[in-house]
């Protein structure tokens, strides 16, 4: 089992345990909406998925997602658990794009629950997550009005990015840096810099 497959199975288990109406860290989305988003994302319907990355088509994607969300709950979970079809580009990118998606959305469910307890992250998963954050981290921070460095507790700089300005250093484990880079709160990181730079970063939009 790849780490992406492992995270997918964990996401489905977390969704089933929380229930379709439980909250998530995705503003305005219950767990059912998040699962429907994943079904639409892997559907290969360009007319339905384009709004995920193109704001002008977001309303069309939202309509498709709402329609999918009305399906039977267990069917939705089974669809996500099965993964993308073998011929899907997302199937070919399983170890990168899907790993990030499944990891972040599993945390979106887990961290929004009142009984949340941090899960243990293996060194293998942490290493696997370090690859996409190196590749995508600068892109997620491109609108951040500071010079942001994402640094591990061991002092390793994984990403330098941002739109320029004062320096800000964000320190944390790889998985927490990934969540920070994608704008998720709470993320267990320490942030250092001037008060004005920290305020600007906190107010900025991060992610792709």
């Amino acid at each position: 089992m790849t780490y992406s497959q492992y995270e997918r199975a964990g996401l489905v288990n977390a969704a089933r345990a929380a229930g379709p109406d439980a909250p998530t860290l995705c503003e305005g989305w219950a767990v059912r909406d998040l699962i429907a988003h994943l079904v639409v994302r892997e559907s290969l319907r360009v007319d339905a998925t384009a709004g995920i990355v193109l704001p002008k088509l977001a309303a069309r994607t939202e309509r498709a997602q709402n329609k999918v969300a009305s399906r039977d709950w267990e069917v939705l979970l089974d669809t996500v658990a099965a993964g993308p079809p073998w011929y899907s580009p997302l199937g070919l990118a399983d170890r990168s794009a899907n790993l990030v998606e499944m990891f972040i959305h599993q945390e979106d469910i887990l961290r929004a629950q009142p009984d949340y307890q941090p899960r243990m992250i293996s060194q293998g998963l942490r290493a696997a997550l370090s690859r996409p954050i190196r590749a995508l981290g600068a892109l997620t921070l491109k609108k951040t009005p500071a010079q942001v460095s994402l640094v591990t507790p061991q002092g390793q700089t994984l990403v330098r990015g941002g739109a320029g300005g004062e320096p800000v250093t964000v320190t944390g484990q790889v998985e927490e840096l990934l969540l920070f880079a994608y704008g998720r709160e709470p993320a267990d990181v320490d942030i250092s810099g001037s008060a004005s730079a920290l305020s600007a970063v906190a107010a900025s939009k991060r992610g792709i």
Side-chain angles (χ1 to χ4, degrees):
M1 178 179 284
T2 66
Y3 286 112
S4 176
Q5 292 167 337
Y6 178 83
E7 289 301 296
R8 182 183 294 272
L11 183 151
V12 171
N13 288 338
R16 181 172 281 114
D21 300 319
T24 74
L25 295 185
C26 300
E27 185 177 357
W29 282 5
V31 174
R32 178 184 289 275
D33 302 308
L34 191 155
I35 294 298
H37 157 75
L38 293 174
V39 172
V40 170
R41 174 180 176 268
E42 297 184 334
S43 69
L44 291 183
R45 282 183 51 193
V46 175
D47 62 318
T49 59
I52 295 175
V53 293
L54 298 175
K56 290 184 178 180
L57 299 177
R60 179 180 296 180
T61 296
E62 183 178 5
R63 288 193 296 271
Q65 182 173 303
N66 290 340
K67 185 176 181 180
V68 168
S70 66
R71 296 177 186 172
D72 179 81
W73 174 235
E74 289 298 327
V75 170
L76 288 175
L77 291 179
D78 289 345
T79 302
V80 173
W86 65 268
Y87 50 82
S88 168
L90 289 174
L92 298 175
D94 182 71
R95 293 176 183 269
S96 53
N98 285 341
L99 172 59
V100 170
E101 188 84 1
M102 298 302 149
F103 173 81
I104 289 178
H105 283 323
Q106 182 178 175
E107 294 298 318
D108 283 336
I109 295 172
L110 294 173
R111 297 185 185 214
Q113 307 316 310
D115 58 350
Y116 166 68
Q117 293 292 329
R119 61 185 173 121
M120 296 296 294
I121 302 296
S122 71
Q123 289 302 316
L125 176 56
R126 192 165 282 158
L129 291 172
S130 70
R131 289 187 285 273
I133 194 174
R134 287 177 185 275
L136 299 173
L139 182 60
T140 68
L141 299 171
K142 67 178 182 179
K143 295 181 180 180
T144 306
Q147 301 174 45
V148 181
S149 297
L150 303 185
V151 183
T152 69
Q154 295 75 35
Q156 182 181 24
T157 299
L158 298 179
V159 176
R160 286 191 175 93
E166 296 184 67
V168 168
T169 300
V170 182
T171 304
Q173 296 290 358
V174 172
E175 64 275 10
E176 301 296 332
L177 294 175
L178 182 67
L179 291 167
F180 173 85
Y182 277 80
R184 293 323 199 259
E185 299 290 348
D188 185 12
V189 295
D190 293 322
I191 308 178
S192 60
S194 71
S196 59
L198 296 183
S199 295
V201 170
S204 67
K205 183 177 180 179
R206 302 184 300 276
I208 295 177

